[in-house]
Amino acid sequence: MSDTPRSAVDKALDLVEAVARAPHPARLTDLAGEVGLHRATAYRILLDLVRRGWVLRAGDRYLPGTAVLRMSSAAAGNSLTALARPVLRDLSGRTGMMANLQVLETDRARVVDVVRPDRLAMISHLRDELLPAHRFAGPLALVAALEPAARAAYLRPAEADGHPLDGEDGLLADIARIERTGFAVERGRTDKLVASISRVVVPTPGAPVCALTLVGPDAEFEAAGPDRLCGQLRDAAEELGRILTAPREGTP
C-alpha cells in the first residue's frame, strides 16, 4: 500500500474492490488485512457500504452488492445471483412455480434474478424492478426481518400510497404475522389471479441478505398446499444461507 494518506473515499473503494475481486465471500479480517486498515475501521466503512448496496453481508462474510453488479460484470462469479442461481432453479423445478431473488435497497426491494417456467410466461417476472413492501411478498419478508428501528424508510411508500400502517389490515400487522410465521404471503393484492410466498435468508438476526419468493397462479397455490410450499421454500432459504456463509475449500 502507498504511504500517501488515504481519504475516506479511497478506503471505501479499496474495500469495494477487495470484495469484488475475492474468489469467495471474504471475512472482515481478510478484507481489513488486504487493504491495510484496522479491523474496526474496515467494519465501520463496510456498514455504510452495506447500507448503500455496494456490499452484501452474509453472516461474517462479505460479497458484492447490487450496486457493484450493475456497474461491473467482473464480480459476477462471486455475486449473490451466481451463488443463488442453482437454488432458484431447484426451487422452481420442485414446485413448478416462478422463483425470484430480491434484496433491499433504499426504500424498496429489487428483483435481481428470476427463474420462470415457460408455462408461466403470462406472469411478469419483474426482473430489476423495485417493489414496495405493502404490495409484494418479497420486500415485506425482508422488512419484517429488519430491526424495528431500521424499517421506517420501507414503510414510507405505503404511507405515500395511502396504505394503512395500523389496524388489522395494516402493514405493521402483516409484519407481526411474518415475525411469528417466518413467511410473507401475498394473494390478490397486486393481481387477483397471482399469489406469492417469500422467506428471507438472514444469517445474522436483523440483517437479511436476500429473500426467496415463489410466484404462481393463486389457484395452484391453493391446490399445492401452503404447508408444502412453505417447507420447500424454507429448505431453499436454508440451503442458500449455507452456501453464502460456509467456509470455502482452502480458506481459514
Side-chain angles (χ1 to χ4, degrees):
M1 303 294 292
S2 170
D3 292 333
T4 304
R6 287 180 288 168
S7 68
V9 172
D10 289 327
K11 295 173 184 176
L13 289 176
D14 285 344
L15 282 167
V16 169
E17 291 170 357
V19 170
R21 66 175 172 259
H24 53 77
R27 296 185 304 184
L28 171 62
T29 300
D30 300 325
L31 292 169
E34 181 175 348
V35 302
L37 291 175
H38 290 298
R39 192 173 184 276
T41 301
Y43 179 72
R44 287 195 299 270
I45 296 170
L46 284 166
L47 284 179
D48 285 334
L49 293 172
V50 169
R51 179 176 57 83
R52 293 291 298 271
W54 288 94
V55 172
L56 281 169
R57 182 179 178 184
D60 66 343
R61 296 179 183 265
Y62 297 84
L63 58 157
T66 55
V68 172
L69 301 179
R70 290 198 299 271
M71 296 180 68
S72 172
S73 61
N78 185 39
S79 72
L80 177 63
T81 53
L83 295 170
R85 186 73 178 182
V87 177
L88 281 181
R89 285 202 192 101
D90 182 63
L91 180 60
S92 178
R94 285 188 290 110
T95 61
M97 303 290 182
M98 178 162 59
N100 72 45
L101 179 72
Q102 299 181 37
V103 298
L104 283 175
E105 294 203 4
T106 304
D107 62 355
R108 291 169 171 81
R110 186 180 296 276
V111 179
V112 295
D113 199 14
V114 181
V115 174
R116 181 177 63 180
D118 291 340
R119 71 180 191 89
L120 297 182
M122 78 294 290
I123 300 178
S124 175
H125 57 66
L126 301 177
R127 188 193 305 270
D128 205 38
E129 295 204 23
L130 289 167
L131 310 181
H134 64 291
R135 293 185 57 200
F136 295 90
L140 184 56
L142 284 162
V143 172
L146 292 172
E147 297 292 345
R151 294 172 180 162
Y154 303 96
L155 304 181
R156 292 188 192 112
E159 293 180 290
D161 282 355
H163 186 86
L165 296 185
D166 301 310
E168 184 177 345
D169 296 325
L171 191 56
L172 295 178
D174 290 337
I175 289 172
R177 280 190 286 271
I178 297 163
E179 288 181 307
R180 292 194 301 271
T181 67
F183 297 92
V185 179
E186 201 286 308
R187 300 183 69 174
R189 182 172 293 174
T190 301
D191 184 327
K192 293 187 181 301
L193 300 179
V194 176
S196 57
I197 183 170
S198 187
R199 185 172 176 87
V200 294
V201 177
V202 54
T204 303
V209 174
C210 58
L212 295 175
T213 305
L214 286 172
V215 183
D218 183 72
E220 292 187 21
F221 265 65
E222 191 65 36
D227 289 344
R228 184 175 73 84
L229 292 177
C230 285
Q232 291 169 327
L233 190 57
R234 180 189 296 109
D235 291 346
E238 290 176 353
E239 173 63 16
L240 182 54
R242 286 191 290 269
I243 290 170
L244 294 175
T245 60
R248 268 50 174 186
E249 184 177 352
T251 65

